[in-house]
Amino acid sequence: MTEGTALEADVVVVGSGAAALSAALAARDAGARVAVVERSDSVGGTTAVSGGGVWMPRNHVSGGNDSREAALTYMSQLSRGRAPADLLARYVDEGPGIVAGLEGRTQLRFRAMSWPDYHPEMEGARRSGRMLEPDLFDTDLLGDWAERLRPAPVLGLPLTLEESTVSWTPSYTPQRYDGSEIKRRVEARQVACGQALVAGLLEACLARGVEPVLATRAVEVITRDGQVAGLVLEQDGRRFDTSARAVILASGGYEWNAELCSRYLPGPLTHPTSPPVNEGDALLMAMELGADLMGMNEAWWYPAAAVPNEQYEGRQLARFMAVERTAPHSIIVDRFGQRFVNEAANYNDMQKAFFGFDANQATPRHLPSWVVFDQQYRSRYPVISVRPGGADPDWLLADDTLEGLAAKAGIDPVGLEETVRRWTGLVASGRDRDFGRGDSFYDRFHGDPTAPHPNLGTIEQAPYYACPVYLGAVGTSGGPRIDVNGRVQHVRDRPIPGLYGAGNAIASPSGPAYFGGGTTIGLGLVWGHIAGTHAAGFVRT
């Protein structure tokens, strides 16, 4: 595309993750001319670097004995009245058919996952059956576009989420890991997780003549007589206008925009795990048109770790902290050396405990924080990117005493020793009476199935270790408020004609709640489809 070249489209979709491609596919199938613009030079957005799971009650694969009433009871309770009831109902009513329909309209195939809901003891929750993931996908189907699929720096192997966390569990049972099978998949150019989901949606769009326009940033929505008339796009430093009767904002959140994060979020989001291009472009464009905002203090939080100088697209790569906090022989402490949360709880809710405020010092009480473990842990489990045993990396703090470790990390030594002593007593009793670690089926599901207790283990064998725990997130979840049709709402509580949104670019229809693994992508797929379908109808009127 050259400067001043107009896109031939009725509907322009901004972004190229699951929400965006779902919207583009739906709008095209509903008869609209569709264009997709993507700021980066690769396709897939946050979805491509994710696990690719889809949380969907009553789904077509394993949700046959689920019920509408149970799902809505659970979702309503967990969202605490901060999610619009009509949006929750539409998700449960139409979501299953939308996801099932993708198997008829694309090369995607979904398989069941055994993960529980994130609060399986709540009324209406289930211990399995509501989570799906895409099957392995053959990227040869993409032709030359396979090279444009966003690389995943952490979940990049063709290893399904169910394999990595349940059936193979290389962190706990490395003997199950089938290296020869992974090699075969790599040679066959197969991808898994979020890359598989994006690849399947992309292939379907390409088959319909919808080719994403890459390295093209949307910077402003053009309006005429109060309704959408096009977009201002930026490419190679040059700006030009393109016309469209509808725009669907699906370009991710604002987690990489430090100013917006400091303005809205309750704590310092220092280690996003999403692509660095997520700087809130959609949010700013919607705000310029008077969009009503909701949930701006929310994000899809995830405790993060980092290996110094490990980068992704020129920025510090943040890695998910998972087994380090769920396996036995580890705890998380703050600078006072005190525990303050169930370390094995689901990542989104667990991280919110970090925002506790210290009224004495007028600072966040639990920042900075560290995961502390001993040689028992180090000999059995991985630490970020380091395998069990072997030489310790330079970036991992270690000492033969807890007092020495505390001095190196900046932790109160008396507090740390008291906490470890109490933890050892709790482990001996068989129950964490302080924070309930291991009480929930969810905790135990993600713990070590081979250990005497999946989540509890003493910390008593030197050397002792400490690794910083950072505030991370897979994306923000606040933004423009939408209605049940995906239309962005004005502050005067009316739709902005022609403006739609989906995915992390909008205020999440789930409010502050993370129902289970794949909630973000499930919401993105469903409201992408709804927005795309409605936008196609709107441009025909």
Side-chain angles (χ1 to χ4, degrees):
M1 187 194 309
T2 58
E3 183 178 7
T5 300
L7 296 173
E8 294 295 330
D10 305 309
V11 177
V12 178
V13 181
V14 183
S16 67
L21 296 180
S22 174
L25 182 62
R28 184 70 191 92
D29 283 351
R33 296 177 303 162
V34 178
V36 174
V37 294
E38 163 60 45
R39 174 177 169 175
S40 73
D41 60 2
S42 60
V43 178
T46 304
T47 305
V49 301
S50 76
V54 178
W55 190 82
M56 185 53 61
R58 304 168 61 235
N59 65 72
H60 66 292
V61 179
S62 57
N65 62 346
D66 201 357
S67 73
R68 180 181 191 273
E69 293 72 20
L72 284 175
T73 295
Y74 171 63
M75 295 166 72
S76 299
Q77 181 180 0
L78 195 55
S79 56
R80 305 193 309 276
R82 293 175 57 197
D86 54 350
L87 269 64
L88 295 182
R90 188 160 193 187
Y91 185 73
V92 173
D93 291 340
E94 298 186 26
I98 289 171
V99 172
L102 289 174
E103 292 195 332
R105 298 161 56 224
T106 74
Q107 298 291 328
L108 283 169
R109 297 295 178 267
F110 292 98
R111 58 168 67 181
M113 288 191 64
S114 57
W115 281 27
D117 290 344
Y118 280 180
H119 289 273
E121 285 75 36
M122 278 190 176
E123 183 181 359
R126 296 191 66 189
R127 291 193 171 194
S128 67
R130 285 178 174 163
M131 188 175 178
L132 306 174
E133 70 172 322
D135 207 345
L136 297 168
F137 196 88
D138 181 2
T139 60
D140 283 338
L141 295 173
L142 298 177
D144 293 341
W145 278 91
E147 303 304 318
R148 292 297 189 180
L149 189 63
R150 174 174 285 280
V154 177
L155 299 171
L157 289 177
L159 179 70
T160 70
L161 206 55
E162 181 78 5
E163 288 170 340
S164 65
T165 61
V166 181
S167 57
W168 290 11
T169 54
S171 294
Y172 297 132
T173 53
Q175 66 274 13
R176 295 181 186 172
Y177 182 81
D178 191 342
S180 61
E181 171 60 15
I182 294 298
K183 180 181 178 182
R184 183 199 66 78
R185 295 175 185 179
V186 171
E187 292 174 346
R189 292 167 54 84
Q190 293 180 316
V191 292
C193 295
Q195 285 186 312
L197 182 58
V198 168
L201 294 170
L202 175 60
E203 190 278 334
C205 287
L206 296 174
R208 290 160 172 78
V210 179
E211 294 191 358
V213 180
L214 305 181
T216 301
R217 183 179 186 178
V219 295
E220 183 181 347
V221 177
I222 301 170
T223 60
R224 187 174 299 113
D225 298 327
Q227 67 180 34
V228 168
L231 275 171
V232 177
L233 302 175
E234 185 176 84
Q235 188 181 80
D236 296 327
R238 299 170 297 181
R239 293 192 174 190
F240 58 94
D241 298 349
T242 189
S243 63
R245 292 197 58 201
V247 168
I248 303 176
L249 302 174
S251 55
Y254 60 88
E255 61 272 13
W256 283 95
N257 187 318
E259 181 178 349
L260 292 176
C261 286
S262 65
R263 188 182 303 169
Y264 294 115
L265 296 180
L269 174 51
T270 56
H271 287 69
T273 57
S274 62
V277 293
N278 290 357
E279 294 184 316
D281 291 353
L283 172 64
L284 296 174
M285 288 188 287
M287 290 171 68
E288 287 178 328
L289 300 185
D292 190 23
L293 304 182
M294 187 172 73
M296 291 300 293
N297 63 328
E298 299 289 346
W300 306 113
W301 297 104
Y302 207 121
V307 176
N309 300 317
E310 189 177 38
Q311 294 192 338
Y312 180 65
E313 294 191 351
R315 306 295 288 269
Q316 172 66 55
L317 173 64
R319 291 179 173 269
F320 305 118
M321 183 170 279
V323 65
E324 295 87 355
R325 60 186 180 81
T326 58
H329 310 295
S330 74
I331 56 174
I332 290 178
V333 300
D334 57 23
R335 67 183 186 276
F336 301 102
Q338 297 176 354
R339 293 179 67 219
F340 55 91
V341 69
N342 168 12
E343 297 92 344
N346 78 81
Y347 42 85
N348 184 61
D349 290 337
M350 172 262 185
Q351 185 107 59
K352 293 178 181 179
F354 283 63
F355 303 139
F357 189 74
D358 187 333
N360 295 323
Q361 299 184 13
T363 59
R365 179 174 179 83
H366 305 310
L367 294 173
S369 293
W370 297 262
V371 58
V372 172
F373 50 94
D374 68 354
Q375 182 58 32
Q376 295 178 92
Y377 179 100
R378 183 73 180 90
S379 64
R380 291 174 173 83
Y381 309 115
V383 182
I384 313 180
S385 59
V386 180
R387 294 182 178 180
D392 295 332
D394 293 339
W395 48 261
L396 182 61
L397 296 178
D399 199 89
D400 288 335
T401 67
L402 287 171
E403 182 180 13
L405 182 70
K408 291 178 179 178
I411 302 171
D412 177 71
V414 175
L416 179 60
E417 290 184 343
E418 290 178 348
T419 295
V420 170
R421 190 180 309 118
R422 176 166 179 80
W423 171 252
T424 298
L426 294 173
V427 172
S429 73
R431 184 165 185 268
D432 174 16
R433 295 188 304 276
D434 289 343
F435 296 101
R437 177 170 169 178
D439 288 356
S440 173
F441 177 77
Y442 175 89
D443 300 1
R444 300 189 298 274
F445 183 89
H446 288 287
D448 182 356
T450 70
H453 190 291
N455 310 110
L456 306 183
T458 61
I459 299 175
E460 57 184 354
Q461 292 184 16
Y464 302 97
Y465 298 88
C467 182
V469 182
Y470 300 108
L471 286 184
V474 297
T476 52
S477 56
R481 180 170 62 90
I482 62 165
D483 67 4
V484 293
N485 295 312
R487 298 180 296 181
V488 172
Q489 301 296 290
H490 191 271
V491 291
R492 297 297 186 185
D493 202 25
R494 52 177 170 76
I496 298 175
L499 189 63
Y500 297 79
N504 289 351
I506 61 168
S508 173
S510 70
Y514 209 136
F515 306 123
T519 296
T520 58
I521 293 177
L523 294 170
L525 286 173
V526 170
W527 259 277
H529 177 93
I530 289 172
T533 302
H534 196 277
F538 173 79
V539 300
R540 291 196 300 267
T541 60

